[in-house]
Amino acid sequence: MSRSEKLLYTAKIRTTGGRDGTSRSSDGRLDIRLSTPGGPGGGTNPEQLFAAGWSACFEGAMAIAARKMNIILPAGLAIDAEVDLNVADGAFFLGARLNVSVPGLDRDVAQAVVDAAHQTCPYSKATRGNIEVAITLV
């Protein structure tokens, strides 16, 4: 870490049992059962958790971008995140879509906020160039 970087938070999770196991955070706030996507079991799966984390982070990045642009985001803002688990030639990979709804905001203004958020959101940065991503204003 360089002198100008500042650590803001470290998530600490312990997972046992893989896709059909459990994950628990060090502070106890997250304690969930996991299930294989499309399989039996009442747990969530890593793809759902990734979609939830990215969409929440992206909305936060939109709020920061909107503040910098002196724009008030509407209360009805919503992000529908879709994370695909794919396989080709025995290799697994992800794909993702964020469908962003900003009702009542001029489309060009909303697109500018979405574009700015995609440049600053840590999840967007982490996935850029690594998986196929589509972010669409709906």
Side-chain angles (χ1 to χ4, degrees):
M1 192 178 306
S2 73
R3 298 174 112 204
S4 64
E5 293 176 357
K6 178 182 174 187
L7 177 65
L8 298 177
Y9 177 74
T10 300
K12 296 179 183 179
I13 304 289
R14 181 181 182 110
T15 299
T16 57
R19 284 190 170 269
D20 293 306
T22 59
S23 291
R24 185 163 204 265
S25 63
S26 60
D27 62 7
R29 290 182 177 192
L30 178 72
D31 189 359
I32 57 169
R33 290 180 298 138
L34 301 170
S35 296
T36 301
T44 188
N45 60 66
E47 292 73 25
Q48 290 172 327
L49 294 170
F50 186 71
W54 191 357
S55 57
C57 186
F58 196 86
E59 188 167 333
M62 286 180 65
I64 291 169
R67 268 195 305 278
K68 288 180 180 178
M69 297 174 177
N70 293 316
I71 296 165
I72 297 173
L73 293 175
L77 184 142
I79 300 171
D80 293 317
E82 301 172 353
V83 173
D84 303 320
L85 176 60
N86 305 292
V87 64
D89 300 321
F92 294 95
F93 61 98
L94 298 176
R97 291 169 302 288
L98 298 182
N99 298 303
V100 183
S101 175
V102 191
L105 198 60
D106 177 81
R107 187 166 185 82
D108 291 338
V109 172
Q111 188 65 59
V113 172
V114 166
D115 292 345
H118 189 45
Q119 293 305 308
T120 61
C121 173
Y123 282 75
S124 292
K125 288 179 178 182
T127 59
R128 189 170 292 117
N130 294 309
I131 67 172
E132 188 173 322
V133 174
I135 299 182
T136 307
L137 186 61
V138 295

